[in-house]
Amino acid sequence: SQQGEEDPQALSIQEGENATMNCSYKTSINNLQWYRQNSGRGLVHLILIRSNEREKHSGRLRVTLDTSKKSSSLLITASRAADTASYFCATDGQGAQKLVFGQGTRLTINP
Amino acid sequence: GAGVSQTPSNKVTEKGKYVELRCDPISGHTALYWYRQSLGQGPEFLIYFQGTGAADDSGLPNDRFFAVRPEGSVSTLKIQRTERGDSAVYLCASSSLAGYNEQFFGPGTRLTVL
């Protein structure tokens, strides 16, 4: 079963613009991770944010976490064509190591 | 260093056949996970190994699915009497328990059951 929901399901923007994707989840968590997937194959780990953190940065990526609202956002600044991919959030918690994924956001960057 | 590798990258089989999918985790990672991803969906958990033992197999859909990790490194996911509904991309991930459960994924095996 899917824990989270990404919003929007699909996003299309112009190169150079910022892209924001949101993730909501249902149960308490230890960590939330964001992944990128190209062409339906392997997932690339982007960033992990712990439940006691509120914001984290990595290069052009900014992730926020609001545990009171059970939501997270991923911001990609100055988007590039190579950022075109599907983006997933995944959570773990409640004593389990397994990750529970949302259904993803399909991001398209138009040149 | 080398990432997670999976073989084969693609597997086409006929309904009713037996298949094995292999995962080679990142060296030194004690935790290994199998997930399954259907088209347009996020990955869904199947089984988690800590060392040689299956610590959580709650995601295996039925007893046709089985996985082993006999030496605590390479793992094999085995599917008996395959069905068309088993068609999916099977993803393997590994993690070091020294971290915060960052899981690093392999490229996946695309299984097609005809």
Side-chain angles (χ1 to χ4, degrees), chain A residues 93-106:
Chain A
Q94 300 192 311
Q97 291 291 110
K98 66 183 181 185
L99 295 181
V100 182
F101 285 82
Q103 293 193 324
T105 293
R106 290 192 317 278

Side-chain angles (χ1 to χ4, degrees), chain A residues 2-18:
Chain A
Q2 304 280 311
Q3 148 92 297
E5 292 185 3
E6 275 95 342
D7 168 46
Q9 291 189 345
L11 177 62
S12 181
I13 61 174
Q14 294 300 119
E15 194 167 18
E17 294 180 340
N18 296 340

Side-chain angles (χ1 to χ4, degrees), chain B residues 57-75:
Chain B
D57 64 358
S58 61
L60 294 178
N62 52 59
D63 61 6
R64 295 187 297 104
F65 288 75
F66 189 70
V68 296
R69 195 187 185 198
E71 298 178 358
S73 178
V74 171
S75 175

Side-chain angles (χ1 to χ4, degrees), chain A residues 1-2 31 33 35 37 40-43 45 48 50 88 92 97-99 101-103, chain B residues 9 33 35 37 41-45 48 91 97 100-103 105-108 110:
Chain A
S1 62
Q2 304 280 311
N31 308 291
Q33 305 183 52
Y35 288 86
Q37 186 176 45
R41 298 306 291 263
L43 288 93
H45 186 269
L48 177 147
R50 305 199 305 269
F88 294 90
D92 66 67
Q97 291 291 110
K98 66 183 181 185
L99 295 181
F101 285 82
Q103 293 193 324
Chain B
S9 56
Y33 310 79
Y35 294 83
Q37 185 176 25
Q41 303 292 315
E44 292 192 317
F45 170 77
Y48 153 54
L91 296 162
L97 291 184
Y100 291 102
N101 197 26
E102 293 99 328
Q103 295 185 19
F105 283 76
R110 184 180 301 278

Side-chain angles (χ1 to χ4, degrees), chain A residues 29-104:
Chain A
I29 63 170
N30 289 335
N31 308 291
L32 186 145
Q33 305 183 52
W34 284 91
Y35 288 86
R36 184 184 74 228
Q37 186 176 45
N38 295 87
S39 306
R41 298 306 291 263
L43 288 93
V44 174
H45 186 269
L46 296 177
I47 197 165
L48 177 147
I49 187 166
R50 305 199 305 269
S51 61
N52 62 354
E53 298 178 309
R54 292 297 166 258
E55 186 170 316
K56 206 160 182 181
H57 297 255
S58 177
R60 294 184 296 114
L61 306 180
R62 172 176 169 255
V63 169
T64 62
L65 179 63
D66 187 335
T67 53
S68 67
K69 295 181 180 178
K70 293 186 169 59
S71 68
S72 174
S73 67
L74 171 67
L75 168 68
I76 304 174
T77 61
S79 63
R80 305 167 181 168
D83 295 329
T84 294
S86 291
Y87 291 81
F88 294 90
C89 68
T91 58
D92 66 67
Q94 300 192 311
Q97 291 291 110
K98 66 183 181 185
L99 295 181
V100 182
F101 285 82
Q103 293 193 324

Side-chain angles (χ1 to χ4, degrees), chain A residues 35 41-45, chain B residues 1-8 22-35 69 73-75 90-96 102-109:
Chain A
Y35 288 86
R41 298 306 291 263
L43 288 93
V44 174
H45 186 269
Chain B
V4 177
S5 61
Q6 292 186 246
T7 55
R22 175 189 167 109
C23 172
D24 204 334
I26 292 171
S27 178
H29 279 189
T30 56
L32 184 147
Y33 310 79
W34 284 98
Y35 294 83
R69 195 187 185 198
S73 178
V74 171
S75 175
Y90 288 80
L91 296 162
C92 177
S94 69
S95 70
S96 166
E102 293 99 328
Q103 295 185 19
F104 298 93
F105 283 76
T109 294

